[in-house]
Amino acid sequence: MTNTQLVQLIDRIACHRDRQAFALLFDHFAPKVKAFLRRRNVSPALADDVTQEAMLTVWRRAEKFDASKAAASTWIFTIARNLHIDHFRKAARSSRLDEHDPYLKPAAEPQPDDLVSRSEDVETVSEALSVLPDEQRLVLELAFTEGLSHASVANRLSLPLGTVKSRIRLAMNKLREVLGERE
């Protein structure tokens, strides 16, 4: 097929979403693109995937083809090359994960004595919270239990932001005092 014929097929795809034109273009280029990728030491499975992806990109972006800038074959092979590079980079990024990284390991199941200790900690903190004035305890609960920002707490309670910050600071100081006495 000549470049003029290939350009006409791409134009038919771009203008009319002509499936017959795409089938002709696919039949012409898919084996060549796959062979090109195989010569680049791409596995057969990945070569198939990249070829399919490249041809799908031709279908989706046919209207972006500019015959004055490149031949149809150059455009299609450039798409395939770029997709192969993208796959290569993606594989390189995923292979950099350190399987021994502690963040990738699931947390160990807590031991029974840890559960008891946590339970005691919860009781201690609950008792300490009960000592706080209601307005201080409320801002702490909204900030730490519900995870609201200071501004969100201020909006919810219709209070100035400075008041919320002061109440949280006072409550935290009081909790330090109370919990420090219990140690």
Side-chain angles (χ1 to χ4, degrees):
M1 241 185 251
T2 67
N3 187 54
T4 305
Q5 292 171 320
L6 296 171
V7 169
Q8 289 171 348
L9 291 175
I10 294 172
D11 284 343
R12 286 173 41 198
I13 295 167
C15 296
H16 306 291
R17 289 291 172 215
D18 187 329
R19 291 174 186 238
Q20 185 179 15
F22 181 72
L24 291 170
L25 199 66
F26 188 95
D27 291 343
H28 180 77
F29 276 108
K32 293 175 180 170
V33 169
K34 184 175 179 182
F36 164 75
L37 293 167
R38 291 292 294 135
R39 283 191 305 274
R40 295 183 74 159
N41 294 323
V42 175
S43 72
L46 183 58
D48 282 339
D49 289 347
V50 173
T51 300
Q52 293 288 332
E53 218 174 313
M55 296 310 294
L56 184 59
T57 302
V58 168
W59 172 261
R60 289 182 181 151
R61 297 187 184 163
E63 67 278 352
K64 295 192 188 272
F65 173 68
D66 184 353
S68 67
K69 291 184 179 178
S73 59
T74 304
W75 182 64
I76 293 171
F77 280 99
T78 301
I79 290 170
R81 181 186 62 89
N82 291 345
L83 288 169
H84 173 241
I85 291 169
D86 290 347
H87 277 274
F88 178 78
R89 286 179 179 156
K90 191 177 192 180
R93 274 193 304 267
S94 68
S95 69
R96 282 190 242 151
L97 288 177
D98 179 9
E99 60 191 50
H100 300 293
D101 186 343
Y103 289 110
L104 297 177
K105 293 185 179 183
E109 290 293 320
Q111 299 297 315
D113 53 336
D114 290 336
L115 293 173
V116 170
S117 176
R118 288 182 192 168
S119 173
E120 291 171 353
D121 290 345
V122 169
E123 284 180 33
T124 303
V125 171
S126 293
E127 289 174 18
L129 284 171
S130 69
V131 173
L132 295 175
D134 289 340
E135 65 271 359
Q136 290 177 8
R137 186 175 58 256
L138 180 58
V139 293
L140 275 185
E141 287 174 353
L142 291 173
F144 294 103
T145 310
E146 293 189 28
L148 298 178
S149 67
H150 293 172
S152 297
V153 172
N155 285 338
R156 182 171 297 178
L157 299 177
S158 301
L159 293 171
L161 180 59
T163 301
V164 169
K165 289 181 178 184
S166 295
R167 288 181 182 175
I168 289 175
R169 188 179 78 267
L170 290 169
M172 293 301 288
N173 288 338
K174 182 70 173 175
L175 284 177
R176 280 189 202 101
E177 287 175 22
V178 172
L179 293 174
E181 293 172 2
R182 294 181 186 202
E183 288 181 5

